[in-house]
């Protein structure tokens, strides 16, 4: 039995868990890819927004002796915006692939390291002291947060694919709905990521040092 949880006696150490190499690679790869898509969204929404760059394009071309209309400048500005969002779409494909990998990983890794097994162990644990009850409650809260993240991840992937293939006539009736859901789901994921980072840092410098190293080396140090 994993030392992180003793369901009959002993202590309950909420985050003293081993992590397989494949899970650690998946975790950090997903983190980096999500960070890249956040960066692309920020660039596309603010720095490369077509309307905001029309004047800049006209000004720069006029300095070079060229005269362009507002529509011509809009076409140039829009081209850069398109490149940003096209890159975002390709990164989105990568996230869909990572989500599929996570599903496969859950079924392929040892039973004791599976997500559902860890939750079952925590639910079976009989907490007898206030610290143990607090540990168990925190652990289950974090795991439920993971479930919420995966649900939002799935919604983002599904709606993102729908928007990527918006030329399909069958998707026309739900295009606006997918766009709205995709937009708000992304904000919820960003909120979760910041909350996750805050929680990890708080526990790392507080009651559970070694959380970060466990996701790097595979076990707490």
């Amino acid at each position: 039995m994993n030392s992180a949880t003793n369901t009959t006696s002993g202590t309950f150490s909420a985050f003293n868990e081993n992590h397989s190499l494949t899970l650690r690679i998946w975790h950090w790869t997903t983190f980096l890819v999500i960070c890249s898509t956040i960066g692309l969204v920020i660039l596309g929404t603010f720095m490369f927004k077509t309307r905001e760059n029309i004047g800049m394009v006209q000004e720069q071309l006029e300095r070079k002796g060229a005269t362009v209309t507002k529509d011509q400048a809009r076409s140039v500005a829009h081209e850069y915006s398109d490149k940003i969002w096209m890159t975002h779409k390709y990164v989105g494909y990568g996230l869909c692939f990572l989500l599929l990998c996570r599903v496969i990983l859950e079924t392929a890794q040892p039973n004791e390291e599976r997500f559902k097994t860890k939750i079952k162990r925590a639910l079976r644990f009989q907490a007898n002291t206030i610290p143990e009850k607090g540990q168990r409650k925190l652990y289950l809260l974090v795991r439920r947060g993971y479930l919420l993240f995966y649900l939002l991840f799935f919604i983002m992937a599904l709606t993102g694919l729908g928007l990527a293939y918006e030329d399909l006539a069958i998707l026309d009736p739900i295009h606006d709905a997918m766009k709205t859901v995709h937009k708000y789901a992304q904000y919820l994921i960003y909120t979760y990521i910041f909350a996750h980072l805050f929680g990890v840092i708080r526990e790392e410098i507080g009651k559970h040092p070694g959380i970060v190293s466990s996701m790097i080396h595979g076990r707490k140090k």
Side-chain angles (χ1 to χ4, degrees):
M1 180 176 292
N2 191 312
S3 61
T5 307
N6 187 324
T7 59
T8 58
S9 63
T11 59
F12 181 83
S13 182
F15 304 101
N16 187 18
E17 297 178 332
N18 297 335
H19 303 290
S20 65
L21 177 61
T22 50
L23 181 60
R24 283 177 279 143
I25 292 174
W26 181 89
H27 176 274
W28 291 112
T29 302
T30 302
F31 173 74
L32 292 174
V33 175
I34 288 179
C35 286
S36 69
T37 194
I38 291 175
L40 288 169
V41 169
I42 292 174
L43 288 174
T45 303
F46 299 103
M47 295 186 65
F48 288 91
K49 193 171 185 178
T50 299
R51 184 175 57 187
E52 306 299 330
N53 288 297
I54 294 174
M56 182 271 293
V57 171
Q58 284 184 300
E59 179 182 349
Q60 291 299 317
L61 289 175
E62 286 173 357
R63 287 181 179 180
K64 299 298 182 179
T67 302
V68 297
T69 64
K70 187 174 182 179
D71 285 341
Q72 290 172 327
R74 181 184 291 108
S75 296
V76 174
H78 186 66
E79 185 66 23
Y80 284 100
S81 177
D82 274 350
K83 288 183 179 297
I84 291 292
W85 291 114
M86 184 62 67
T87 303
H88 174 74
K89 182 170 73 172
Y90 291 142
V91 172
Y93 289 148
L95 285 173
C96 291
F97 175 73
L98 286 169
L99 180 59
L100 177 61
C101 288
R102 185 64 182 88
V103 174
I104 296 173
L105 180 59
E106 178 66 16
T107 60
Q109 64 182 346
N111 185 63
E112 67 176 16
E113 294 186 20
R114 293 180 184 178
F115 189 88
K116 64 178 182 179
T117 302
K118 294 178 180 180
I119 292 181
K120 288 180 179 179
R121 279 202 301 265
L123 290 172
R124 289 198 304 264
F125 179 76
Q126 299 300 317
N128 298 315
T129 66
I130 293 178
E132 286 178 351
K133 291 178 180 178
Q135 290 283 300
R136 181 178 181 273
K137 182 178 180 180
L138 177 61
Y139 183 85
L140 290 174
L141 177 64
V142 170
R143 289 293 164 178
R144 287 164 182 160
Y146 290 164
L147 287 176
L148 175 61
F149 168 75
Y150 289 130
L151 175 61
L152 291 172
F153 199 164
F154 175 76
I155 292 173
M156 280 286 291
L158 188 63
T159 55
L161 286 174
L163 293 173
Y165 292 96
E166 60 183 352
D167 292 337
L168 295 177
I170 193 174
L171 297 177
D172 285 344
I174 60 173
H175 178 271
D176 290 340
M178 288 192 301
K179 189 173 183 179
T180 300
V181 171
H182 191 76
K183 174 183 177 181
Y184 287 104
Q186 85 174 347
Y187 293 143
L188 291 174
I189 285 183
Y190 300 160
T191 301
Y192 172 86
I193 290 172
F194 287 123
H196 178 68
L197 290 173
F198 172 80
V200 167
I201 294 172
R202 186 187 67 177
E203 295 302 318
E204 177 71 30
I205 63 178
K207 296 180 179 179
H208 302 101
I211 292 178
V212 176
S213 64
S214 72
M215 193 51 75
I216 296 175
H217 305 291
R219 63 181 66 227
K220 284 186 70 175
K221 290 194 172 182

